[in-house]
Amino acid sequence: MPLFKSIFILLGTLSLCIGMAGIVIPGLPTTPFVLLTAGLYLKGSDTLYQKLLNSHFPGGYIREYQRNKGMTMRTKTKAIATMAVMITLSVLYWIAPWLLKLLVISLGALGAMVILFFVPTAKLHPHERNNP
């Protein structure tokens, strides 16, 4: 296996791990890391890329992103709202040290900025506008 393909696979796996951690760690965005994983696996291993696309959880996000050429504003809003709720609950009830609270809030703000400004915003097709 060529060196570059191995590097892409390693970085893709690291990105996937960070993205999956974002499911449970408030402030850490999941979607951008999963999309990065797809791009890295596409360059490194067609087998891993196909497994990622065919998986239930991240595969749906990736297929939607590919179909729409980005995340719809509705999806971005849901992602940021979910992050905001989890961050708020974490800071109010589960995290005691103020420095850690500040870190979680900062990471959440960074994650929201990445979703808003770096992930392309897709337009809904006319037949999709009425479907939630």
Side-chain angles (χ1 to χ4, degrees), residues 21-28 81-108:
I23 295 171
V24 294
I25 298 174
L28 187 61
T82 302
M83 282 176 32
V85 167
M86 292 308 297
I87 289 167
T88 301
L89 290 173
S90 297
V91 168
L92 291 177
Y93 300 110
W94 301 311
I95 299 174
W98 68 270
L99 194 56
L100 191 53
K101 288 181 182 193
L102 183 62
L103 178 65
V104 168
I105 291 168
S106 299
L107 288 173

Side-chain angles (χ1 to χ4, degrees), residues 40-51:
L40 291 167
Y41 278 177
L42 183 61
K43 297 223 180 243
S45 168
D46 188 55
T47 302
L48 289 174
Y49 177 70
Q50 290 304 320
K51 282 185 179 187

Side-chain angles (χ1 to χ4, degrees), residues 63-70 72 74 122-131:
R63 287 188 299 275
E64 178 184 333
Y65 184 88
Q66 288 174 331
R67 184 180 66 241
N68 296 326
K69 306 287 190 261
T72 62
R74 175 182 282 168
K123 293 189 170 111
L124 285 174
H125 298 290
H127 68 278
E128 295 175 316
R129 288 201 174 117
N130 295 329
N131 298 334

Side-chain angles (χ1 to χ4, degrees), residues 49-65:
Y49 177 70
Q50 290 304 320
K51 282 185 179 187
L52 187 67
L53 279 182
N54 293 328
S55 65
H56 177 69
F57 169 65
Y61 284 112
I62 295 165
R63 287 188 299 275
E64 178 184 333
Y65 184 88

